[in-house]
Amino acid sequence: MAHKFNPDHISKLLNPERVKEVEPLGLLGSIGLNAGDRLVDIGCGPGFFTLPASVIVGAEGMVYGLDTEPKMLEAIKSQNPPGNVILMESTERLLPIEDETATHALLAYMFHEVEEPFEFLVEVRRVVRPWGKVAVIDWDVIEEDRGPPLSERLEPVTVAEYLFEAGFTDPEITRLNPSHYMVTAEK
């Protein structure tokens, strides 16, 4: 069983150094998130991407923050998110969102924790609109003193293969920095 991030370490996820390293606003723009879009942030944690996304999509858009850990959702609530953010507790097997709701799905730093990757991505595909986009951001398979254990990290090409097998098209791998990569694809 893959380890799950310990919610007692939420402060690590909101570290200003992490913002500099990943630049959430720029990254969200790079996947084509625009005003009026609907993003589902799966494994949203304490809102590292959820809250910046709410600024991008604006009043006409919506951001659904999903997490299996209630403490993460409470951390977002404590930051007084705007009205275009809807927070929901989720499971891996069933996302509490109607079919074809989202223009974009974001799976940031959580895919390595998923027990059944193919089944999970099929469920993600269900909630994404036709021609919608999915972005998986995760830790590269390198030895370092942070992030998940090396044995649980996935090669970006493996993530791309899972996306393709689940029915997404044109997976594309982007290196974000020495530790992280992003794989994007379309429905």
Side-chain angles (χ1 to χ4, degrees):
M1 181 172 160
H3 93 286
K4 302 289 185 190
F5 184 84
N6 183 341
D8 293 339
H9 300 145
I10 284 175
S11 63
K12 285 183 179 180
L13 300 179
L14 297 173
N15 182 326
E17 290 300 312
R18 190 169 182 236
V19 173
K20 287 180 193 170
E21 182 178 48
V22 179
E23 297 180 19
L25 283 170
L27 190 140
L28 291 165
S30 78
I31 64 169
L33 191 68
N34 292 302
D37 284 342
R38 293 177 175 264
L39 171 77
V40 57
D41 185 0
I42 303 168
C44 62
F48 185 80
F49 288 104
T50 303
L51 297 175
S54 72
V55 173
I56 294 171
V57 302
E60 300 299 316
M62 192 67 63
V63 178
Y64 301 88
L66 278 56
D67 209 289
T68 60
E69 176 53 61
K71 287 181 182 178
M72 295 295 188
L73 300 174
E74 288 301 320
I76 296 176
K77 287 178 189 171
S78 72
Q79 298 173 69
N80 299 311
N84 65 347
V85 172
I86 297 174
L87 302 174
M88 293 181 271
E89 193 171 339
S90 179
T91 69
E92 272 185 31
R93 289 186 167 60
L94 182 63
L95 303 176
I97 294 183
E98 298 206 10
D99 294 358
E100 300 183 354
T101 295
T103 58
H104 296 77
L106 178 65
L107 292 64
Y109 305 106
M110 55 74 69
F111 194 68
H112 65 273
E113 296 182 1
V114 173
E115 296 292 330
E116 297 174 349
F118 172 77
E119 291 81 359
F120 173 72
L121 287 174
V122 168
E123 176 65 357
V124 171
R125 189 175 184 280
R126 178 188 66 77
V127 304
V128 175
R129 293 179 182 172
W131 301 285
K133 295 184 180 178
V134 63
V136 179
I137 302 166
D138 222 321
W139 295 85
D140 209 348
V141 184
I142 57 171
E143 189 72 54
E144 57 186 327
D145 60 358
R146 63 189 186 135
L150 184 65
S151 63
E152 294 180 11
R153 297 178 182 214
L154 297 168
E155 294 284 349
V157 69
T158 302
V159 175
E161 288 168 357
Y162 276 127
L163 285 163
F164 186 76
E165 289 170 15
F168 290 98
T169 61
D170 301 323
E172 186 175 313
I173 298 168
T174 305
R175 296 268 169 214
L176 300 177
N177 55 51
S179 297
H180 308 121
Y181 62 83
M182 177 170 66
V183 184
T184 54
E186 291 187 4
K187 179 172 176 180

